[in-house]
Amino acid sequence: MNIEHKIIAATVAAVKELYQQDLPENQVNLQDTRAEFEGQITIVVFPVVRFSKKSPEATATDLGEYLVANIEEVTAFNVVKGFLNLSIADAYWVNLFNTDLLNPSFGVFSPNGKKVMVEYSSPNTNKPLHLGHVRNNLLGYSVAELLKASGYDVVKVNLVNDRGIHICKSMLAWQKWGNGETPESSLMKGDHLVGKYYVIFDKEYKKEIEALKLEGQTEEEAKKNAPLIKEAQKMLQDWEAGVPEVIELWKTMNGWVYDGFAVSYKNLGVDFDKYYYESNTYLLGKGTVDEGLEKGVFFKKPDGSVWIDLTADGLDQKLVLRADGTSVYITQDLGTAQMKYDDFKMDESIYVVGNEQDYHFKVLFLILEKLGKSWATGLHHLSYGMVDLPSGKMKSREGTVVDADDLVAEMIDTAKAKTEALGKVNDFDEEEKERLYYNIGMGALKYFLLKVEPKKRLLFDPAESIDFQGNTGPFIQYTHARIKSLLLKAGYDFAHAGVADAEITATEKEMIMLLAKYPNEIQSAAKTHSPAVLANYLYEVAKMFNKFYHETPPIIKEENEAVKKHRLNLSFVTAEVLKRGMRILGIAVPERM
RNA sequence: GCCUUGGUAGCUCAGUUGGAUAGAGCAACGGUUUUCUAAACCGUGGGUCAGGGGUUCGAAUCCCUUCCAGGGUACCA
């Protein structure tokens, strides 16, 4: 039984004995003692006052005396207003460290027997990835790793939006103005090449609209009547009809895009267990619509369109099938959800999708629930905020986007420049240097994006480079490297280190307490689908270590063997926590930097 | 209009499910290196937690309301 449980149980017993009252366990409110007071664990006694019928101070004193008398580890207490601060024996913390934290399985969770699917990335194949996609990819990857770490069996999937009018726009523009250009001939990455034609389409389309407006059409009419859009729509119909030339072009251009994405994904360090393609799934869902009609969940309007009425749930009426029998977005998603469940029978499923689709997913999940799908309750939308620039929203068609590949390259360059300026790794060979620059640059980028709570919008200023100091990825990486250097110089070997029964300092005690929280941090980050929780925790750990490192005399020269061994063990565990935690964020920590 | 999410230091963000005097980083200023990596450490200044009201021993946190910003709003995805 850990000390927190002992304190809770003893407090309940104390209230029984002292006041003859039954105190519910959840009324025992524990928190870390603030640094300015003596002690490590604090009981907030206000909730107990109702039972003691005494002042907060008197109640706290009663409890303090009882706990010191009845719990061996509680050595002293002090009362500040309604707060009872308890001092826990150093021996307890040393023992906790030696038995729990030094155990190789510390913070490792055994399988919980549950399977979860994480769908993320889900790009369109008409343009390259930008910073918004980067946030999605890093979030999805990290949440998947987080769930793995907390015991889930995880399936990562990518639902690629590879069809539709927007794809046809790129295709059409290439056909008209491409002159047979290919990634090879242009030396452009395939996704960028296709994106270029998407932009060209938009430009030409806008010209046509302007021309039609000069002829007296309204904006709306012009948008509908422009020859280009009509051609694109025709192309989409041809695609659906399976016209060979269109299919051929589609395959070719999508192939270029996939080659490009593969490079971007590799740079971002993300991967998938399975890809779904909308070209295979866009017709799904009609069976589900029939099912809904049979069950009376959906209804048909006179024109033949199919709807669901969600007004009783505070939402609107929602179209699920057009009058002409064709699908809308939600039709596909209903069908795809069913297919994914049939494929994997997962207990939970997480959709990593921007908050612009909050309403869509609310509706989707509600419909599946109403259809009586037992698995519907396991569906979650991990909604994240948009990445904005100081100028506002990023818009692909207007070219105000931060390109993912460019950004990665810039980050690596910056890492290189900063590392070279410090001159600590001049003995590395080229390959080691490249790897280090990559790890540091990506560490900075990933941490920057992941430390922010997913649901909050994120501001990125291209003019201001991402920091490498303070609350950043490189700071944590540096702390890890620093520890590794120390351990190396000390000739430390965990396998033969053994435990040490040593006196500990106040900072060491704080570190043990902080490190001991690691398993809880993993669980709560996983539960809330928030890598930010973990990121901020790892920063605390790194900061604490640097404080410890700085205020402690050189450990290698420490003459008291037990103290030395303990400090090296403490450093080792810190490095392990940083390494494993960062790994979950998708960030590698170097041995040297 | 309606629904929804945000608003915390000059800037970027935390805030442990309602607890003590609201914390970090960056930027600014000052200090620390003959000692294990200074991408570090220590210190100073900086706050109407958007405004107002309420709930209670106690509110950045819960409720109501106003303002500001983002997103959505029935046949785009």
Side-chain angles (χ1 to χ4, degrees), chain A residues 132 135 139 353-356 382-388 453-458:
Chain A
R135 187 179 199 190
L139 252 182
V353 181
N355 63 10
E356 59 205 346
L382 172 48
S383 164
Y384 62 90
M386 297 289 106
V387 180
D388 287 330
E453 202 54 43
K455 73 176 169 188
K456 294 208 178 181
R457 70 185 257 277
L458 201 147

Side-chain angles (χ1 to χ4, degrees), chain A residues 126-428:
Chain A
N126 64 333
K127 52 179 188 263
L129 306 180
H130 61 61
L131 183 53
H133 300 115
V134 174
R135 187 179 199 190
N136 179 303
N137 279 279
L138 299 181
L139 252 182
Y141 177 84
S142 177
V143 166
E145 291 303 310
L146 212 34
L147 290 164
K148 264 188 214 171
S150 73
Y152 281 87
D153 179 14
V154 177
V155 189
K156 294 185 257 194
V157 309
N158 189 354
L159 175 58
V160 182
N161 185 346
D162 62 343
R163 66 161 285 281
I165 189 73
H166 48 292
I167 314 292
C168 292
K169 288 177 180 177
S170 299
M171 286 160 59
L172 187 63
W174 182 85
Q175 217 172 35
K176 285 183 175 301
W177 299 292
N179 297 316
E181 192 175 33
T182 67
E184 291 74 29
S185 73
S186 63
L187 297 178
M188 259 179 114
K189 213 161 147 275
D191 49 339
H192 289 265
L193 181 66
V194 171
K196 173 178 145 186
Y197 287 97
Y198 185 67
V199 172
I200 290 176
F201 176 94
D202 199 60
K203 221 194 275 171
E204 297 297 325
Y205 178 38
K206 279 194 174 130
K207 275 191 213 162
E208 290 187 353
I209 292 172
E210 288 313 309
L212 291 175
K213 277 161 78 178
L214 286 177
E215 291 171 19
Q217 297 198 10
T218 66
E219 171 101 23
E220 282 195 10
E221 286 168 342
K223 278 184 177 171
K224 263 187 216 164
N225 295 332
L228 268 176
I229 197 71
K230 293 198 153 176
E231 270 190 82
Q233 280 159 355
K234 173 71 171 54
M235 189 180 252
L236 181 60
Q237 284 165 9
D238 287 348
W239 182 88
E240 293 195 9
V243 172
E245 303 85 79
V246 174
I247 297 291
E248 192 57 32
L249 177 60
W250 173 74
K251 281 186 179 166
T252 302
M253 289 182 73
N254 268 352
W256 295 344
V257 173
Y258 295 142
D259 291 345
F261 282 174
V263 172
S264 300
Y265 284 153
K266 184 160 185 289
N267 280 334
L268 292 174
V270 302
D271 54 35
F272 305 93
D273 300 308
K274 183 168 175 72
Y275 282 80
Y276 286 103
Y277 297 92
E278 288 204 9
S279 52
N280 294 325
T281 65
Y282 81 106
L283 293 174
L284 293 175
K286 294 188 186 182
T288 312
V289 171
D290 292 339
E291 189 185 332
L293 282 169
E294 275 168 37
K295 291 184 176 170
V297 175
F298 300 155
F299 66 93
K300 203 171 249 187
K301 285 197 176 176
D303 67 355
S305 58
V306 181
W307 296 72
I308 183 167
D309 187 352
L310 298 170
T311 48
D313 296 280
L315 305 174
D316 304 306
Q317 287 199 357
K318 182 88 186 166
L319 176 91
V320 295
L321 196 69
R322 292 192 186 101
D324 63 7
T326 58
S327 302
V328 289
Y329 177 43
I330 200 146
T331 323
Q332 293 178 43
D333 266 10
L334 287 167
T336 307
Q338 180 70 57
M339 181 170 73
K340 291 197 294 189
Y341 180 74
D342 291 343
D343 285 351
F344 292 99
K345 300 281 190 295
M346 59 281 190
D347 303 281
E348 291 177 51
S349 191
I350 297 167
Y351 294 78
V352 183
V353 181
N355 63 10
E356 59 205 346
Q357 296 196 35
D358 285 357
Y359 183 75
H360 171 74
F361 283 102
K362 219 188 237 180
V363 171
L364 177 69
F365 297 163
L366 187 58
I367 292 176
L368 288 166
E369 218 171 284
K370 286 185 180 293
L371 287 171
K373 305 295 178 189
S374 60
W375 40 271
T377 49
L379 304 174
H380 309 283
H381 174 204
L382 172 48
S383 164
Y384 62 90
M386 297 289 106
V387 180
D388 287 330
L389 305 175
S391 56
K393 229 183 145 175
M394 288 190 283
K395 296 204 176 88
S396 316
R397 280 178 295 193
E398 292 169 23
T400 60
V401 292
V402 176
D403 179 76
D405 297 319
D406 291 349
L407 182 58
V408 167
E410 277 170 33
M411 292 307 298
I412 294 171
D413 281 350
T414 308
K416 180 178 181 182
K418 288 189 190 277
T419 305
E420 282 177 346
L422 289 172
K424 295 180 188 179
V425 293
N426 294 332
D427 59 319
F428 274 24

Side-chain angles (χ1 to χ4, degrees), chain A residues 75-95:
Chain A
T75 57
F77 74 93
N78 65 84
V79 175
V80 180
K81 295 193 274 181
F83 297 88
L84 170 58
N85 302 320
L86 303 172
S87 297
I88 310 300
D90 286 359
Y92 171 80
W93 300 114
V94 173
N95 184 54

Side-chain angles (χ1 to χ4, degrees), chain A residues 527-544:
Chain A
K527 198 173 160 191
T528 56
H529 305 153
S530 173
V533 168
L534 178 60
N536 286 300
Y537 167 75
L538 294 175
Y539 172 63
E540 292 295 322
V541 171
K543 204 164 51 149
M544 180 75 78

Side-chain angles (χ1 to χ4, degrees), chain A residues 28-94:
Chain A
V28 186
N29 193 337
L30 298 186
Q31 58 185 34
D32 292 349
T33 303
R34 291 177 68 109
E36 60 263 41
F37 302 112
E38 190 71 28
Q40 292 81 50
I41 298 177
T42 292
I43 302 180
V44 184
V45 300
F46 296 106
V48 185
V49 170
R50 274 194 313 152
F51 298 86
S52 68
K53 307 275 199 294
K54 288 187 174 183
S55 70
E57 289 83 353
T59 307
T61 305
D62 285 352
L63 291 177
E65 285 169 354
Y66 183 95
L67 294 175
V68 169
N70 288 278
I71 300 180
E72 196 189 337
E73 294 89 336
V74 178
T75 57
F77 74 93
N78 65 84
V79 175
V80 180
K81 295 193 274 181
F83 297 88
L84 170 58
N85 302 320
L86 303 172
S87 297
I88 310 300
D90 286 359
Y92 171 80
W93 300 114
V94 173

